[in-house]
Amino acid sequence: QLQLQESGPGLVKPSETLSLTCTVSGGSISSKDYYWGWIRQPPGKGLECFGSIYYRGTTFYNPSLKSRVTISVDTSKNQFSLKLSSVTAADTAVYYCARRHKDGGAYDIWGQGTMVTVSS
Amino acid sequence: DIVMTQTPLSSPVTLGQPASISCRSSQSLVHSDGNTYLSWLQQRPGQPPRLLIYKISNRFSGVPDRFSGSGAGTDFTLNISRVEAEDVGIYYCMQATQFPHDTFGQGTRLEIK
């Protein structure tokens, strides 16, 4: 069955760039039926979407975060990635990658999440 | 931005009894394509969110039939017909009508009395 796994540094310094990768296993990222997205959850708080990418590279960013976010895809590795620039302590959160069904408009498969702390 | 407001924020329920969570959006979630992209997710303690319902009332694969969704326009409801111990967690509604600016409700904590 399809699984997603986030990877990347657990600690990032303020003003630097946070970089995470999501590896898709048990299925292909090159599916015409899905987008691949990033969502975060600050400690004890709710969920916030960064945006999604289609396997062909088309990106869809949340306007609220667009200026600092880059999402990319590498179909040869079955991976997609998130870069968030100029981080501050407010970016401390659990970061999830998830599959988004194009027609259903919902995130149907999620990774386990990875905790990223922004601190010097 | 479409703001999603859930009530109640906390819901103590007796095992075997029904539970209901409401979600209201700040504007209609009917998309220009005629669909309403409202979903419900469950987050058990220490786990990632799990999709329960999409497009108001469609149960995702493997979701027990005690979970059901209803509503239209700006008002939506998640119902659990008979609460089980494994249903403890936080429930979120999410709108995807304004994709890519998907937004979530603040969450409703379901706990057992």
Side-chain angles (χ1 to χ4, degrees):
Chain A
Q1 83 218 39
L2 191 89
Q3 293 185 320
L4 286 72
Q5 180 66 58
E6 305 87 352
S7 59
L11 181 64
V12 181
K13 290 182 168 55
S15 80
E16 295 189 344
T17 296
L18 178 161
S19 296
L20 297 174
T21 296
C22 182
T23 300
V24 179
S25 60
S28 175
I29 202 171
S30 301
S31 169
K32 64 178 177 60
D33 294 327
Y34 299 98
Y35 299 132
W36 305 90
W38 289 95
I39 302 102
R40 72 179 176 184
Q41 185 172 36
K45 296 188 178 179
L47 298 156
E48 181 179 37
C49 293
F50 283 96
S52 301
I53 191 165
Y54 192 50
Y55 78 95
R56 291 184 175 176
T58 308
T59 51
F60 307 90
Y61 293 123
N62 180 337
S64 301
L65 296 164
K66 185 176 182 177
S67 62
R68 296 197 293 135
V69 176
T70 303
I71 299 175
S72 58
V73 65
D74 186 336
T75 55
S76 68
K77 295 181 179 179
N78 230 28
Q79 294 176 334
F80 62 107
S81 299
L82 170 73
K83 290 187 187 299
L84 179 66
S85 63
S86 305
V87 298
T88 68
D91 295 309
T92 294
V94 176
Y95 285 74
Y96 296 101
C97 59
R99 187 181 77 171
R100 191 183 192 283
H101 195 278
K102 286 176 65 182
D103 290 340
Y107 293 97
D108 61 1
I109 306 292
W110 293 63
Q112 285 297 307
T114 187
M115 179 69 199
V116 179
T117 301
V118 178
S119 175
S120 55
Chain B
D1 296 11
I2 297 179
V3 178
M4 307 297 289
T5 303
Q6 292 182 226
T7 54
L9 297 183
S10 179
S11 179
V13 183
T14 302
L15 287 174
Q17 293 300 302
S20 182
I21 299 169
S22 294
C23 176
R24 177 167 290 177
S25 56
S26 59
Q27 62 192 75
S28 173
L29 296 187
V30 179
H31 193 276
S32 56
D33 66 8
N35 289 303
T36 299
Y37 296 105
L38 185 284
S39 58
W40 289 95
L41 302 101
Q42 173 198 61
Q43 188 172 31
R44 292 170 172 153
Q47 294 294 313
R50 167 199 178 200
L51 179 64
L52 298 176
I53 303 283
Y54 64 96
K55 287 201 290 188
I56 301 178
S57 60
N58 295 274
R59 262 189 309 277
F60 185 57
S61 175
V63 174
D65 61 7
R66 65 179 182 275
F67 290 94
S68 63
S70 62
T74 61
D75 290 287
F76 306 93
T77 303
L78 175 70
N79 287 298
I80 309 174
S81 58
R82 295 172 305 280
V83 171
E84 299 188 4
E86 65 179 16
D87 299 337
V88 166
I90 301 175
Y91 290 77
Y92 295 95
C93 59
M94 190 200 90
Q95 69 79 22
T97 294
Q98 204 175 53
F99 179 71
H101 199 170
D102 303 337
T103 49
F104 294 86
Q106 71 272 53
T108 294
R109 186 178 299 274
L110 184 75
E111 53 194 26
I112 305 300
K113 281 183 184 174

